[in-house]
């Protein structure tokens, strides 16, 4: 079951530069940053209400974020939906013909179990499903 928007991922060239807008102008605090080696990104967490903005900065030229910015420029990269049970949701959506980038869950920011639906099957939005302990 999908519960809520867990986070919105925003691709940025530099977290520090992006924070000038989010932190100094919008006054949304950044609570933490994390390097996620498997995804080749550095993530800044900006919790807001029941959800959060995640700023994503590439740490490698092969990062999906680098490729995205090179092609489209900075901007909204993905929407992540919180699910109760990721494996069940993957099986359910596969049964409906949806295509996953990774059918086996991997691990993302904050230790969340994650899987991405390919934007070709979602109407152009990169969708992440995300299961967390808390
Ligand atoms: N949103 C919407 N469409 C996207 C997209 C995005 N974020 N990224 C790529 N696309 C589109 C491209 O525009 C392209 O469409 P066209 O064929 O119409 O031009 C198509 O998808 C293929 O894009 P590409 O540039 O050739 O890139 P790849 O196929 O190599 O990779 C994708 C695209 C989505 C499969 C890859 O980025 C991926 O595996 N993403 C999941 C992992 C990820 O994004 N990690 C970073 C975040 C990690 C985190 O939050 O923890």
């Amino acid at each position: 079951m999908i519960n809520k928007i867990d986070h919105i991922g925003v691709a940025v060239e530099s977290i520090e530069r992006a924070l000038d807008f989010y932190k100094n102008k919008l006054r949304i605090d950044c609570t933490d940053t994390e390097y996620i080696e498997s995804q080749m990104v550095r993530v800044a967490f900006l919790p807001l209400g029941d959800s959060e903005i995640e700023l994503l900065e590439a740490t490698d030229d092969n990062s999906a974020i680098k490729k995205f910015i090179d092609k489209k420029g900075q901007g909204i990269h993905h929407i992540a939906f919180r699910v109760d049970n990721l494996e069940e949701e993957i099986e359910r959506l596969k049964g409906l013909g949806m295509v996953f980038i990774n059918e086996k869950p991997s691990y993302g920011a904050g230790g969340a179990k994650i899987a991405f639906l390919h934007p070709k099957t979602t109407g152009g939005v990169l969708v992440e499903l995300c299961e967390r302990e808390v």
Side-chain angles (χ1 to χ4, degrees), residues 42-93:
R42 197 159 73 90
V43 183
F45 304 99
L46 286 75
L48 193 63
D50 202 23
S51 184
E52 68 183 5
I53 304 287
E54 289 187 3
L55 303 179
L56 306 162
E57 177 190 288
T59 57
D60 189 286
D61 282 352
N62 296 314
S63 165
I65 297 302
K66 167 90 169 78
K67 201 167 174 186
F68 178 86
I69 290 177
D70 285 351
K71 201 166 175 181
K72 302 189 186 210
Q74 300 185 100
I76 292 180
H77 179 259
H78 66 266
I79 298 177
F81 295 109
R82 177 84 65 89
V83 300
D84 288 330
N85 185 314
L86 182 58
E87 281 86 354
E88 269 180 27
E89 213 45 44
I90 290 173
E91 286 311 310
R92 187 182 74 79
L93 289 166

